[in-house]
Amino acid sequence: MSEILATLILIVIAVSLGTILVSWASSYSSSALGGLASSTYRAQATLRQYPVIEYANATPTNLTLMVSNEGQLPATVTGILVSNTTSQRYYSSFYAGGSHVSVSSVQIPPMGVVEISVNPNGFMKSGGSYSVAVLTSSGASASTVVGVGP
């Protein structure tokens, strides 16, 4: 009788441990694959956002860009990077849509266009040539080269 009882207790312990192990493995793989799926979605979203600088005009006191989104998803502009051969400056606040209120991001709908401007604060000099990049929250970007007028 005790041999049968011992065998049943061992079977219950084995089944319990197996259930716990399967539950843990299921939750672990679900979270690991969920993170992978999230990364994959972000990569696809970046590919489906396609910002384009349609127009750029620069003076020492103002940089104005017309930025379109030719992608399938909204693109959120979060910064502007301006550089020349020796240095660069990142602008995390700018003016959007002709507004005089500074913002830290602006969303461009698919096939939409927005005007973005920034005060270069003395960084850009007349007659100089500068590379300008518009950066989005997903990593998509657009760039152009602009000459600075008087």
mmCIF file of all heavy atoms in Angstrom, residues 19-57:
data_model
loop_
_atom_site.group_PDB
_atom_site.id
_atom_site.type_symbol
_atom_site.label_atom_id
_atom_site.label_comp_id
_atom_site.label_asym_id
_atom_site.label_seq_id
_atom_site.Cartn_x
_atom_site.Cartn_y
_atom_site.Cartn_z
ATOM 1 N N THR A 19 3.734 21.227 -15.082
ATOM 2 C CA THR A 19 2.780 22.312 -15.336
ATOM 3 C C THR A 19 3.426 23.669 -15.090
ATOM 4 O O THR A 19 3.258 24.609 -15.872
ATOM 5 C CB THR A 19 1.531 22.141 -14.449
ATOM 6 O OG1 THR A 19 0.966 20.852 -14.701
ATOM 7 C CG2 THR A 19 0.510 23.219 -14.730
ATOM 8 N N ILE A 20 4.158 23.780 -13.999
ATOM 9 C CA ILE A 20 4.845 25.039 -13.682
ATOM 10 C C ILE A 20 5.870 25.370 -14.759
ATOM 11 O O ILE A 20 5.964 26.512 -15.216
ATOM 12 C CB ILE A 20 5.506 24.952 -12.285
ATOM 13 C CG1 ILE A 20 4.426 24.914 -11.210
ATOM 14 C CG2 ILE A 20 6.467 26.101 -12.051
ATOM 15 C CD1 ILE A 20 4.952 24.587 -9.818
ATOM 16 N N LEU A 21 6.633 24.390 -15.201
ATOM 17 C CA LEU A 21 7.650 24.602 -16.229
ATOM 18 C C LEU A 21 7.025 25.030 -17.558
ATOM 19 O O LEU A 21 7.499 25.963 -18.201
ATOM 20 C CB LEU A 21 8.475 23.322 -16.419
ATOM 21 C CG LEU A 21 9.620 23.421 -17.425
ATOM 22 C CD1 LEU A 21 10.646 24.438 -16.971
ATOM 23 C CD2 LEU A 21 10.265 22.059 -17.615
ATOM 24 N N VAL A 22 5.945 24.386 -17.958
ATOM 25 C CA VAL A 22 5.271 24.748 -19.206
ATOM 26 C C VAL A 22 4.699 26.160 -19.116
ATOM 27 O O VAL A 22 4.791 26.959 -20.056
ATOM 28 C CB VAL A 22 4.169 23.715 -19.547
ATOM 29 C CG1 VAL A 22 3.250 24.233 -20.639
ATOM 30 C CG2 VAL A 22 4.795 22.399 -19.961
ATOM 31 N N SER A 23 4.111 26.502 -17.968
ATOM 32 C CA SER A 23 3.564 27.848 -17.776
ATOM 33 C C SER A 23 4.665 28.905 -17.873
ATOM 34 O O SER A 23 4.509 29.931 -18.538
ATOM 35 C CB SER A 23 2.867 27.920 -16.424
ATOM 36 O OG SER A 23 2.471 29.225 -16.150
ATOM 37 N N TRP A 24 5.791 28.656 -17.217
ATOM 38 C CA TRP A 24 6.911 29.605 -17.255
ATOM 39 C C TRP A 24 7.448 29.752 -18.677
ATOM 40 O O TRP A 24 7.684 30.858 -19.154
ATOM 41 C CB TRP A 24 8.025 29.141 -16.316
ATOM 42 C CG TRP A 24 9.252 29.997 -16.449
ATOM 43 C CD1 TRP A 24 9.481 31.199 -15.881
ATOM 44 C CD2 TRP A 24 10.406 29.702 -17.254
ATOM 45 N NE1 TRP A 24 10.703 31.679 -16.258
ATOM 46 C CE2 TRP A 24 11.301 30.780 -17.107
ATOM 47 C CE3 TRP A 24 10.758 28.635 -18.064
ATOM 48 C CZ2 TRP A 24 12.528 30.819 -17.751
ATOM 49 C CZ3 TRP A 24 11.990 28.676 -18.709
ATOM 50 C CH2 TRP A 24 12.859 29.756 -18.548
ATOM 51 N N ALA A 25 7.640 28.650 -19.368
ATOM 52 C CA ALA A 25 8.171 28.684 -20.730
ATOM 53 C C ALA A 25 7.220 29.427 -21.662
ATOM 54 O O ALA A 25 7.646 30.191 -22.527
ATOM 55 C CB ALA A 25 8.422 27.264 -21.237
ATOM 56 N N SER A 26 5.942 29.228 -21.477
ATOM 57 C CA SER A 26 4.951 29.908 -22.310
ATOM 58 C C SER A 26 4.997 31.411 -22.102
ATOM 59 O O SER A 26 5.001 32.189 -23.048
ATOM 60 C CB SER A 26 3.563 29.367 -21.997
ATOM 61 O OG SER A 26 2.591 30.103 -22.675
ATOM 62 N N SER A 27 5.029 31.858 -20.846
ATOM 63 C CA SER A 27 5.062 33.299 -20.585
ATOM 64 C C SER A 27 6.382 33.909 -21.040
ATOM 65 O O SER A 27 6.421 35.007 -21.570
ATOM 66 C CB SER A 27 4.813 33.589 -19.107
ATOM 67 O OG SER A 27 5.896 33.147 -18.316
ATOM 68 N N TYR A 28 7.508 33.191 -20.873
ATOM 69 C CA TYR A 28 8.801 33.698 -21.302
ATOM 70 C C TYR A 28 8.848 33.858 -22.815
ATOM 71 O O TYR A 28 9.258 34.897 -23.329
ATOM 72 C CB TYR A 28 9.918 32.759 -20.841
ATOM 73 C CG TYR A 28 11.275 33.179 -21.356
ATOM 74 C CD1 TYR A 28 11.953 34.237 -20.768
ATOM 75 C CD2 TYR A 28 11.847 32.533 -22.444
ATOM 76 C CE1 TYR A 28 13.176 34.639 -21.250
ATOM 77 C CE2 TYR A 28 13.075 32.926 -22.931
ATOM 78 C CZ TYR A 28 13.739 33.978 -22.332
ATOM 79 O OH TYR A 28 14.947 34.381 -22.812
ATOM 80 N N SER A 29 8.418 32.836 -23.542
ATOM 81 C CA SER A 29 8.481 32.920 -25.002
ATOM 82 C C SER A 29 7.519 33.977 -25.526
ATOM 83 O O SER A 29 7.804 34.665 -26.493
ATOM 84 C CB SER A 29 8.187 31.564 -25.641
ATOM 85 O OG SER A 29 6.854 31.175 -25.396
ATOM 86 N N SER A 30 6.385 34.144 -24.875
ATOM 87 C CA SER A 30 5.437 35.160 -25.302
ATOM 88 C C SER A 30 6.014 36.552 -25.130
ATOM 89 O O SER A 30 5.888 37.404 -26.000
ATOM 90 C CB SER A 30 4.139 34.985 -24.519
ATOM 91 O OG SER A 30 3.572 36.182 -24.176
ATOM 92 N N SER A 31 6.688 36.814 -24.002
ATOM 93 C CA SER A 31 7.272 38.140 -23.806
ATOM 94 C C SER A 31 8.459 38.348 -24.724
ATOM 95 O O SER A 31 8.661 39.431 -25.252
ATOM 96 C CB SER A 31 7.670 38.346 -22.346
ATOM 97 O OG SER A 31 8.722 37.485 -21.990
ATOM 98 N N ALA A 32 9.272 37.337 -24.946
ATOM 99 C CA ALA A 32 10.424 37.464 -25.841
ATOM 100 C C ALA A 32 9.962 37.698 -27.274
ATOM 101 O O ALA A 32 10.479 38.569 -27.969
ATOM 102 C CB ALA A 32 11.296 36.212 -25.761
ATOM 103 N N LEU A 33 8.988 36.955 -27.728
ATOM 104 C CA LEU A 33 8.478 37.133 -29.084
ATOM 105 C C LEU A 33 7.700 38.428 -29.217
ATOM 106 O O LEU A 33 7.701 39.048 -30.276
ATOM 107 C CB LEU A 33 7.618 35.938 -29.494
ATOM 108 C CG LEU A 33 8.382 34.619 -29.674
ATOM 109 C CD1 LEU A 33 7.412 33.496 -29.995
ATOM 110 C CD2 LEU A 33 9.430 34.754 -30.751
ATOM 111 N N GLY A 34 7.051 38.871 -28.134
ATOM 112 C CA GLY A 34 6.345 40.149 -28.169
ATOM 113 C C GLY A 34 7.315 41.291 -28.389
ATOM 114 O O GLY A 34 7.063 42.215 -29.148
ATOM 115 N N GLY A 35 8.478 41.246 -27.737
ATOM 116 C CA GLY A 35 9.508 42.259 -27.939
ATOM 117 C C GLY A 35 10.051 42.226 -29.351
ATOM 118 O O GLY A 35 10.294 43.256 -29.962
ATOM 119 N N LEU A 36 10.220 41.036 -29.888
ATOM 120 C CA LEU A 36 10.693 40.890 -31.256
ATOM 121 C C LEU A 36 9.669 41.442 -32.236
ATOM 122 O O LEU A 36 10.009 42.151 -33.171
ATOM 123 C CB LEU A 36 10.979 39.412 -31.551
ATOM 124 C CG LEU A 36 11.473 39.086 -32.953
ATOM 125 C CD1 LEU A 36 12.800 39.776 -33.203
ATOM 126 C CD2 LEU A 36 11.604 37.590 -33.119
ATOM 127 N N ALA A 37 8.402 41.144 -31.979
ATOM 128 C CA ALA A 37 7.341 41.656 -32.854
ATOM 129 C C ALA A 37 7.289 43.175 -32.790
ATOM 130 O O ALA A 37 7.091 43.845 -33.799
ATOM 131 C CB ALA A 37 5.998 41.052 -32.461
ATOM 132 N N SER A 38 7.473 43.737 -31.606
ATOM 133 C CA SER A 38 7.462 45.183 -31.449
ATOM 134 C C SER A 38 8.604 45.821 -32.229
ATOM 135 O O SER A 38 8.424 46.833 -32.898
ATOM 136 C CB SER A 38 7.549 45.532 -29.963
ATOM 137 O OG SER A 38 7.617 46.905 -29.789
ATOM 138 N N SER A 39 9.794 45.245 -32.157
ATOM 139 C CA SER A 39 10.947 45.751 -32.911
ATOM 140 C C SER A 39 10.700 45.655 -34.405
ATOM 141 O O SER A 39 11.038 46.559 -35.160
ATOM 142 C CB SER A 39 12.202 44.963 -32.553
ATOM 143 O OG SER A 39 12.522 45.129 -31.211
ATOM 144 N N THR A 40 10.115 44.555 -34.834
ATOM 145 C CA THR A 40 9.811 44.376 -36.246
ATOM 146 C C THR A 40 8.800 45.413 -36.709
ATOM 147 O O THR A 40 8.942 46.000 -37.782
ATOM 148 C CB THR A 40 9.263 42.958 -36.501
ATOM 149 O OG1 THR A 40 10.244 42.022 -36.062
ATOM 150 C CG2 THR A 40 8.955 42.739 -37.965
ATOM 151 N N TYR A 41 7.791 45.690 -35.882
ATOM 152 C CA TYR A 41 6.790 46.691 -36.254
ATOM 153 C C TYR A 41 7.442 48.062 -36.380
ATOM 154 O O TYR A 41 7.154 48.806 -37.308
ATOM 155 C CB TYR A 41 5.652 46.738 -35.229
ATOM 156 C CG TYR A 41 4.667 47.828 -35.539
ATOM 157 C CD1 TYR A 41 3.742 47.678 -36.562
ATOM 158 C CD2 TYR A 41 4.698 49.033 -34.857
ATOM 159 C CE1 TYR A 41 2.861 48.686 -36.887
ATOM 160 C CE2 TYR A 41 3.821 50.046 -35.164
ATOM 161 C CZ TYR A 41 2.909 49.866 -36.182
ATOM 162 O OH TYR A 41 2.051 50.879 -36.505
ATOM 163 N N ARG A 42 8.334 48.400 -35.438
ATOM 164 C CA ARG A 42 8.998 49.701 -35.517
ATOM 165 C C ARG A 42 9.812 49.802 -36.794
ATOM 166 O O ARG A 42 9.834 50.842 -37.445
ATOM 167 C CB ARG A 42 9.885 49.927 -34.289
ATOM 168 C CG ARG A 42 9.115 50.350 -33.067
ATOM 169 C CD ARG A 42 10.044 50.873 -31.985
ATOM 170 N NE ARG A 42 11.081 49.934 -31.586
ATOM 171 C CZ ARG A 42 10.948 49.028 -30.644
ATOM 172 N NH1 ARG A 42 9.826 48.928 -29.977
ATOM 173 N NH2 ARG A 42 11.943 48.220 -30.347
ATOM 174 N N ALA A 43 10.505 48.737 -37.172
ATOM 175 C CA ALA A 43 11.298 48.749 -38.400
ATOM 176 C C ALA A 43 10.397 48.923 -39.619
ATOM 177 O O ALA A 43 10.710 49.692 -40.522
ATOM 178 C CB ALA A 43 12.111 47.471 -38.516
ATOM 179 N N GLN A 44 9.266 48.224 -39.631
ATOM 180 C CA GLN A 44 8.327 48.372 -40.746
ATOM 181 C C GLN A 44 7.729 49.766 -40.770
ATOM 182 O O GLN A 44 7.534 50.350 -41.829
ATOM 183 C CB GLN A 44 7.222 47.324 -40.645
ATOM 184 C CG GLN A 44 7.688 45.927 -40.956
ATOM 185 C CD GLN A 44 6.601 44.892 -40.717
ATOM 186 O OE1 GLN A 44 5.584 45.169 -40.102
ATOM 187 N NE2 GLN A 44 6.829 43.698 -41.217
ATOM 188 N N ALA A 45 7.440 50.317 -39.590
ATOM 189 C CA ALA A 45 6.872 51.669 -39.519
ATOM 190 C C ALA A 45 7.859 52.678 -40.073
ATOM 191 O O ALA A 45 7.481 53.616 -40.770
ATOM 192 C CB ALA A 45 6.497 52.016 -38.081
ATOM 193 N N THR A 46 9.150 52.491 -39.778
ATOM 194 C CA THR A 46 10.169 53.388 -40.308
ATOM 195 C C THR A 46 10.177 53.336 -41.825
ATOM 196 O O THR A 46 10.285 54.362 -42.487
ATOM 197 C CB THR A 46 11.559 53.009 -39.764
ATOM 198 O OG1 THR A 46 11.522 53.100 -38.345
ATOM 199 C CG2 THR A 46 12.630 53.922 -40.303
ATOM 200 N N LEU A 47 10.042 52.139 -42.381
ATOM 201 C CA LEU A 47 10.030 52.007 -43.825
ATOM 202 C C LEU A 47 8.782 52.628 -44.438
ATOM 203 O O LEU A 47 8.824 53.101 -45.571
ATOM 204 C CB LEU A 47 10.123 50.531 -44.222
ATOM 205 C CG LEU A 47 11.438 49.842 -43.879
ATOM 206 C CD1 LEU A 47 11.348 48.360 -44.182
ATOM 207 C CD2 LEU A 47 12.592 50.477 -44.627
ATOM 208 N N ARG A 48 7.693 52.653 -43.710
ATOM 209 C CA ARG A 48 6.444 53.190 -44.255
ATOM 210 C C ARG A 48 6.288 54.675 -43.967
ATOM 211 O O ARG A 48 5.297 55.276 -44.334
ATOM 212 C CB ARG A 48 5.259 52.401 -43.725
ATOM 213 C CG ARG A 48 5.314 50.973 -44.222
ATOM 214 C CD ARG A 48 4.089 50.175 -43.998
ATOM 215 N NE ARG A 48 3.349 50.487 -42.814
ATOM 216 C CZ ARG A 48 2.560 49.653 -42.186
ATOM 217 N NH1 ARG A 48 2.419 48.437 -42.642
ATOM 218 N NH2 ARG A 48 1.887 50.003 -41.121
ATOM 219 N N GLN A 49 7.246 55.280 -43.271
ATOM 220 C CA GLN A 49 7.293 56.728 -43.122
ATOM 221 C C GLN A 49 8.361 57.224 -44.076
ATOM 222 O O GLN A 49 9.473 56.705 -44.089
ATOM 223 C CB GLN A 49 7.663 57.116 -41.692
ATOM 224 C CG GLN A 49 6.632 56.730 -40.682
ATOM 225 C CD GLN A 49 7.078 57.115 -39.280
ATOM 226 O OE1 GLN A 49 8.132 57.690 -39.083
ATOM 227 N NE2 GLN A 49 6.268 56.792 -38.314
ATOM 228 N N TYR A 50 8.033 58.205 -44.875
ATOM 229 C CA TYR A 50 8.986 58.662 -45.877
ATOM 230 C C TYR A 50 8.973 60.183 -45.932
ATOM 231 O O TYR A 50 8.356 60.782 -46.797
ATOM 232 C CB TYR A 50 8.627 58.045 -47.233
ATOM 233 C CG TYR A 50 9.693 58.234 -48.276
ATOM 234 C CD1 TYR A 50 10.925 57.597 -48.162
ATOM 235 C CD2 TYR A 50 9.479 59.048 -49.367
ATOM 236 C CE1 TYR A 50 11.901 57.775 -49.112
ATOM 237 C CE2 TYR A 50 10.450 59.229 -50.331
ATOM 238 C CZ TYR A 50 11.660 58.590 -50.196
ATOM 239 O OH TYR A 50 12.628 58.762 -51.140
ATOM 240 N N PRO A 51 9.672 60.826 -44.965
ATOM 241 C CA PRO A 51 9.720 62.290 -44.994
ATOM 242 C C PRO A 51 10.612 62.778 -46.133
ATOM 243 O O PRO A 51 11.632 62.157 -46.441
ATOM 244 C CB PRO A 51 10.307 62.662 -43.634
ATOM 245 C CG PRO A 51 11.085 61.464 -43.220
ATOM 246 C CD PRO A 51 10.388 60.272 -43.820
ATOM 247 N N VAL A 52 10.204 63.867 -46.756
ATOM 248 C CA VAL A 52 10.959 64.465 -47.857
ATOM 249 C C VAL A 52 10.995 65.973 -47.634
ATOM 250 O O VAL A 52 9.961 66.584 -47.355
ATOM 251 C CB VAL A 52 10.299 64.160 -49.224
ATOM 252 C CG1 VAL A 52 11.012 64.880 -50.346
ATOM 253 C CG2 VAL A 52 10.259 62.664 -49.481
ATOM 254 N N ILE A 53 12.178 66.567 -47.740
ATOM 255 C CA ILE A 53 12.279 68.032 -47.679
ATOM 256 C C ILE A 53 12.018 68.550 -49.083
ATOM 257 O O ILE A 53 12.825 68.368 -49.992
ATOM 258 C CB ILE A 53 13.661 68.482 -47.162
ATOM 259 C CG1 ILE A 53 13.883 67.963 -45.745
ATOM 260 C CG2 ILE A 53 13.776 70.008 -47.205
ATOM 261 C CD1 ILE A 53 15.274 68.229 -45.185
ATOM 262 N N GLU A 54 10.858 69.163 -49.254
ATOM 263 C CA GLU A 54 10.441 69.661 -50.565
ATOM 264 C C GLU A 54 11.089 71.003 -50.901
ATOM 265 O O GLU A 54 11.334 71.306 -52.057
ATOM 266 C CB GLU A 54 8.910 69.817 -50.608
ATOM 267 C CG GLU A 54 8.136 68.550 -50.306
ATOM 268 C CD GLU A 54 8.157 67.552 -51.441
ATOM 269 O OE1 GLU A 54 8.511 67.923 -52.574
ATOM 270 O OE2 GLU A 54 7.832 66.385 -51.193
ATOM 271 N N TYR A 55 11.333 71.811 -49.874
ATOM 272 C CA TYR A 55 11.814 73.167 -50.079
ATOM 273 C C TYR A 55 12.625 73.576 -48.855
ATOM 274 O O TYR A 55 12.268 73.236 -47.729
ATOM 275 C CB TYR A 55 10.603 74.100 -50.252
ATOM 276 C CG TYR A 55 10.919 75.571 -50.214
ATOM 277 C CD1 TYR A 55 11.395 76.225 -51.339
ATOM 278 C CD2 TYR A 55 10.726 76.307 -49.046
ATOM 279 C CE1 TYR A 55 11.679 77.585 -51.299
ATOM 280 C CE2 TYR A 55 10.996 77.669 -49.012
ATOM 281 C CZ TYR A 55 11.481 78.295 -50.136
ATOM 282 O OH TYR A 55 11.756 79.626 -50.100
ATOM 283 N N ALA A 56 13.714 74.297 -49.078
ATOM 284 C CA ALA A 56 14.532 74.801 -47.966
ATOM 285 C C ALA A 56 15.004 76.206 -48.299
ATOM 286 O O ALA A 56 15.462 76.471 -49.418
ATOM 287 C CB ALA A 56 15.720 73.888 -47.716
ATOM 288 N N ASN A 57 14.894 77.102 -47.335
ATOM 289 C CA ASN A 57 15.355 78.474 -47.491
ATOM 290 C C ASN A 57 16.054 78.868 -46.197
ATOM 291 O O ASN A 57 15.506 78.659 -45.108
ATOM 292 C CB ASN A 57 14.189 79.414 -47.780
ATOM 293 C CG ASN A 57 14.652 80.830 -48.062
ATOM 294 O OD1 ASN A 57 15.747 81.035 -48.579
ATOM 295 N ND2 ASN A 57 13.827 81.794 -47.712
#
